[in-house]
């Protein structure tokens, strides 16, 4: 018996053009003009009562330090815990606190065409660690605890589009890593689902075009980390026909980078972490470097639960994440860096050219700075193709801000043959890698989203 | 200053046709007619003296059980160790011995065009655990210990083609997993490098076409596991335009499979492993199931070191690895199974439809067998598109044989909508996944190599 099964085209060849059309719609979408966005967001902030107060770690309700080893965890055993990590990367050894959350969350954006233009359902969402509390977020941002109901809160809006098969058309769906320096092997499912249903947006949600979201990414601290991560997984960059390296050569370079680095991480009790101390208020490094673990108390009107306390990681200093940009044969390329990070599942992922906290280096001789940091810091304004401050996920990180830059370079600044660990790749090549996990770190994904959503940037 | 940099085409569009041409050369290549292969291999066996004898684990020279915990390791601290693993997969819990070898080896095949046809430099290589000792192997099969000289043996022939950049053209280069049931997070670099040098083959090496290697894969225990793994990474399958699922839908299905399974593995001392016992000769399961750890003494004439002893894993029973095959709209599809395995780095990889040791099930009611095992066992000869026995890597496994099958199915046997955890994908889709790590397990790669190298199989 032969069944006539209708086959699907393997490649969705129409999608890049549809995304490009959405990117060109900068001034207005179906629901909101871009110029009215600030008033809308302010309205959402006014409609809810949000307060976040610092609380000593000892006093965060529902959380406690385990008697054996001192790991900081929730009494339910769920959400996440703060534990210790012993790290050896290429012979360099240290210990640090780390967030352990061995579950896969969903970061989902719902898409829909209006008048022939793809729109994305974005949410004004409060997270306690966000610099402005309210940021533009994916349609759904659900931890496993959220969607299995551990915290006994309200139903997560629109969640069913991301958990039920055949509820729409998948535009992207990939497990991507969280920060390798702060999370132990954490990944989230980054999804974009196109719906053909009639989906009226709730008060805290609006349908926006890629062009509108791109405009908002020009501003500081508006588009949240999860939204940037998800949008980087859509094929928004042009699929260039040629590049400095073929795709196979690029993958080979990456394979060599992954093979040549050795990362050994071992969980240890939080109490025993060397060079870190616990005060009444915080866990912090003896030199007050890197980050501290602190507590907050939250009251919110539009969250699934209206009040709670929790720990947050609070970085010390403003981060810097920059891609150097060059054109070869007219094709824009970004200089990626294969970065080994303690909490990554597989040794290295590709990060921006520069990814560091400059305050950790400015007191040192320039020769001891990370490669290209000096170039980025002294780059004139005519070299800056993009500059904005964005913060990391406000559910885990407090005021974790970094300046994101795209900086035009030339042969004298960054040669055609970059140093070991660095490679020139095109945005289209990065987009092809972003279909898969384990390739692009969170910081690279933010800048890839910037490149993909802003018109005429490179 | 603008530098004129010559760009490369991102896709090597000529490669699939070149591989297809090599596949069509079945009877002869530049160096050896296929019909003369057996005589050549027999000659190589005669030219060297190989003896492998079983030795009690207690008596393998250079290896010992650590006083604390009883892990079995080499006195140098290198090569590999046998340790204990506590495993929880989706709530199912057990303990077992596991091979720990946290380093990346190189499995490399050198390619070269002769008279317009790509040939691959294959080696007649002895491994102590191989059923026939000598099998057809990649050009280079080097552990990190090999190529950094830990075992003080001879230089690895042709190694320089795989360790020096720009020594040829990369056709494939990807980190692929080893067996997830026996290795803890082990991966090797699978490489195919095309050279333009004049490379006369040594006595133990011959240039063969894909068609010749395919013919040899019809036979039992001739083409070794590493060779099959590397060849699966070349784009030998046709790039079908359509499939039951688009590539994005396939990736989404895979992402869901990876997200929905929970695998927690924790290293424990070998001494404490529940349900396993250590005798003078072996470490084995109390029911004598699964595998045992045993020792061998080796004398060899063409190895880098001429004599040594080592432990090997010896599976109990003949394995069975089978893909069900169906045509949808004229396009062949294979039924993959997303398998959670204890030692995989990231939860699940795609395996064949059936991958098990039938002896572990035949005493149970058929309802308790793994899905599709009964169908495969009762499939008539008219359904069998391919059948051969291949063994696993003889440097770690002793007589670890499995029967590999491709079995034609219809709607009644295996529906268009398969059970959860199973999906119909095309060989071309599997080939596109094989460019990346973490997708295809070793067993699936063997069958993908079969599909890619044998003419007219599906």
């Amino acid at each position: 018996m032969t069944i006539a099964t209708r086959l699907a085209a393997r490649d969705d060849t129409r999608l890049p053009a549809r995304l490009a059309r959405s990117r060109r719609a900068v001034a207005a979408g179906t629901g909101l003009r871009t110029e009215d966005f600030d008033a809308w967001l302010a309205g959402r902030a006014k409609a809810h009562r949000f307060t976040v107060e610092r609380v000593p770690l000892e006093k965060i309700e529902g959380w406690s330090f385990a008697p054996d080893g001192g790991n900081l965890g929730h009494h339910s055993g769920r959400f996440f815990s703060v534990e210790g990590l012993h790290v050896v990367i290429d012979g360099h050894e240290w210990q640090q606190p780390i967030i352990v959350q061995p579950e896969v969350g969903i970061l989902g954006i719902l898409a829909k065409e209006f008048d022939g233009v793809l729109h994305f359902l974005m949410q004004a969402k409060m997270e306690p660690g966000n610099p402005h509390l309210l940021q533009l977020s994916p349609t759904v941002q659900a931890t496993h605890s959220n969607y299995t109901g551990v915290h006994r809160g309200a139903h997560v809006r629109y969640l069913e589009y991301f958990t039920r098969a055949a509820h729409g058309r998948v535009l992207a769906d990939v497990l991507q890593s969280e920060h390798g320096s702060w999370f132990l092997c954490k990944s989230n499912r980054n999804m974009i689902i196109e719906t053909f249903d009639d989906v009226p947006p709730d008060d805290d949600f609006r349908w926006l075009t890629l062009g509108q979201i791109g405009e908002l990414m020009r501003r500081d601290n508006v588009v949240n980390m999860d939204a940037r991560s998800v949008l980087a997984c859509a094929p928004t960059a042009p699929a260039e026909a040629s590049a400095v390296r073929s795709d196979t050569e690029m993958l080979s370079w990456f394979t060599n980078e992954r093979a040549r680095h050795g990362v050994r991480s071992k969980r240890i009790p939080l109490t025993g972490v060397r060079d870190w101390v616990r005060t009444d208020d915080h866990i912090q490094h003896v030199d007050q470097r890197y980050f501290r673990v602190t507590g907050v108390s939250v009251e919110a009107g539009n969250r699934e639960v209206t009040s709670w306390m929790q720990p947050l990681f609070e970085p010390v200093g403003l981060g810097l994440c920059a891609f150097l940009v060059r054109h070869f044969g007219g094709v824009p390329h970004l200089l990626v860096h294969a970065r080994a990070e303690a909490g990554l599942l597989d040794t290295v992922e590709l990060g921006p050219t520069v990814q560091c906290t400059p305050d950790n280096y400015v007191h040192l001789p320039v020769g001891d700075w990370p490669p290209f940091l000096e170039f980025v810091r002294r780059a004139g304004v005519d070299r800056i193709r993009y500059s904005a401050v964005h913060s990391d996920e406000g559910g885990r990180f407090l005021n974790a801000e970094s300046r994101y830059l795209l900086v035009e370079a030339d042969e004298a600044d960054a040669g055609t043959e970059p140093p070991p660990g660095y490679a020139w790749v095109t945005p289209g090549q990065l987009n092809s890698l972003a279909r898969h996990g384990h390739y692009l770190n969170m910081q690279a994904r933010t800048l890839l989203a910037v490149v993909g959503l802003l018109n005429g940037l490179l």
Side-chain angles (χ1 to χ4, degrees), chain A:
Chain A
M1 179 179 65
T2 304
I3 302 287
T5 301
R6 190 157 162 219
L7 298 187
R10 280 184 55 193
D11 294 325
D12 182 352
T13 49
R14 288 183 59 233
L15 183 58
R18 296 175 72 210
L19 294 171
R21 196 178 314 135
S22 181
R23 182 176 57 227
R24 288 192 297 271
V26 171
T30 186
L32 190 68
R33 287 181 305 171
T34 310
E35 65 184 36
D36 296 334
F37 176 84
D38 287 349
W40 175 74
L41 193 69
R44 296 328 303 154
K46 216 177 283 178
H48 302 286
R49 178 177 51 99
F50 305 124
T51 60
V52 177
E53 282 174 23
R54 288 177 182 271
V55 176
L57 266 188
E58 300 281 353
K59 297 199 171 151
I60 46 175
E61 281 167 23
W63 294 75
S64 59
F65 292 96
D68 57 329
N71 288 343
L72 177 60
H74 192 256
H75 62 65
S76 67
R78 304 291 286 267
F79 302 114
F80 64 94
S81 59
V82 180
E83 310 188 6
L85 196 70
H86 182 98
V87 186
V88 186
I89 297 185
D90 297 332
H92 185 56
E93 193 166 352
W94 73 90
Q95 298 187 340
Q96 65 166 85
I98 193 104
I99 302 174
V100 178
Q101 188 178 9
E103 53 161 48
V104 174
I106 291 178
L107 310 176
I109 297 182
L110 200 59
K112 186 174 168 62
E113 213 170 77
F114 295 92
D115 298 326
V117 179
L118 273 177
H119 286 64
F120 299 84
L121 189 59
M122 305 302 288
Q123 177 183 185
K125 185 173 174 67
M126 193 285 294
E127 295 284 356
N130 285 345
H132 300 160
L133 292 182
L134 213 59
Q135 290 193 1
L136 198 62
S137 307
T139 318
V140 162
Q141 209 172 290
T143 64
H144 196 260
S145 306
N146 275 138
Y147 61 82
T148 54
V150 175
H151 70 359
R152 291 167 298 177
H155 171 67
V156 177
R157 289 296 330 242
Y158 307 111
L159 179 62
E160 63 275 16
Y161 287 95
F162 303 94
T163 55
R164 283 193 220 145
H167 217 79
R169 179 194 292 164
V170 181
L171 304 187
D173 185 1
V174 54
L175 289 182
Q176 296 285 8
S177 61
E178 297 285 304
H179 296 74
S181 299
W182 297 332
F183 269 111
L184 183 63
C185 300
K186 174 81 171 87
S187 65
N188 281 319
R189 196 167 170 183
N190 287 237
M191 305 176 78
I192 306 176
I193 304 288
E194 181 178 2
T195 182
F196 305 99
D197 295 352
D198 186 25
V199 184
D202 264 25
D203 289 345
D204 290 325
F205 294 78
R206 282 295 177 272
W207 290 106
L208 299 175
T209 64
L210 286 188
Q212 291 185 292
I213 301 168
E215 275 307 294
L216 298 172
M217 286 209 291
R218 294 189 191 271
R219 309 186 195 169
D220 293 351
N221 290 317
V222 172
V223 179
N224 91 342
M225 184 193 85
D226 293 331
R228 297 177 330 247
S229 173
V230 174
L231 291 167
C233 301
T236 53
E240 314 87 0
S242 53
V244 165
R245 280 189 161 93
S246 74
D247 285 14
T248 296
E249 289 166 339
M250 172 188 68
L251 290 170
S252 178
W253 168 81
F254 181 83
T255 299
N256 185 56
E257 288 300 314
R258 183 159 273 168
R260 80 184 176 93
H261 288 289
V263 177
R264 305 276 159 80
S265 296
K266 198 173 78 173
R267 284 158 75 169
I268 57 173
L270 184 58
T271 307
V273 172
R274 209 165 51 208
D275 296 333
W276 290 74
V277 292
R278 186 172 133 197
T279 68
D280 285 348
D281 291 352
H282 310 294
I283 296 168
Q284 61 192 31
H285 190 258
V286 287
D287 296 332
Q288 307 214 17
R289 288 257 168 82
Y290 312 117
F291 61 86
R292 55 187 189 177
V293 187
T294 190
V296 291
S297 169
V298 185
E299 301 222 7
N302 70 340
R303 285 287 300 219
E304 299 83 4
V305 171
T306 52
S307 75
W308 72 92
M309 297 191 191
Q310 69 168 91
L312 289 173
F313 272 36
E314 184 180 19
V316 175
L318 179 69
L320 178 67
C321 300
F323 265 130
L324 267 55
V325 183
R326 283 188 64 186
H327 287 69
F328 297 98
V331 178
H333 286 67
L334 307 170
L335 186 60
V336 294
H337 178 208
R339 285 178 61 88
E341 295 181 347
L344 292 178
L345 186 66
D346 199 1
T347 314
V348 303
E349 293 188 6
L350 300 180
T353 321
V354 175
Q355 177 187 321
C356 70
T357 303
D359 286 356
N360 290 339
Y361 299 97
V362 286
H363 61 287
L364 299 173
V366 168
D368 294 342
W369 290 16
F372 305 108
L373 173 58
E374 191 205 0
F375 168 71
V376 167
R377 281 173 65 92
R378 66 172 168 74
V381 74
D382 58 314
R383 299 290 198 101
I384 309 296
R385 296 282 162 269
Y386 175 83
S387 173
V389 171
H390 297 295
S391 59
D392 295 315
E393 216 259 299
R396 296 290 173 273
F397 307 111
L398 180 59
N399 300 323
E401 295 179 300
S402 292
R403 178 163 293 283
Y404 285 84
L405 294 167
L406 296 169
V407 185
E408 189 89 25
D410 62 25
E411 180 69 23
D413 310 316
T416 310
E417 289 296 333
Y422 294 80
W424 291 108
V425 302
T426 66
Q429 288 181 315
L430 287 185
N431 250 168
S432 73
L433 294 178
R435 293 187 88 182
H436 309 284
H438 306 295
Y439 280 117
L440 301 189
N441 77 3
M442 181 62 82
Q443 290 84 349
R445 296 205 301 281
T446 279
L447 282 166
L448 179 59
V450 165
V451 169
L453 268 59
L454 273 73
N455 294 283
L457 203 58
L458 305 184

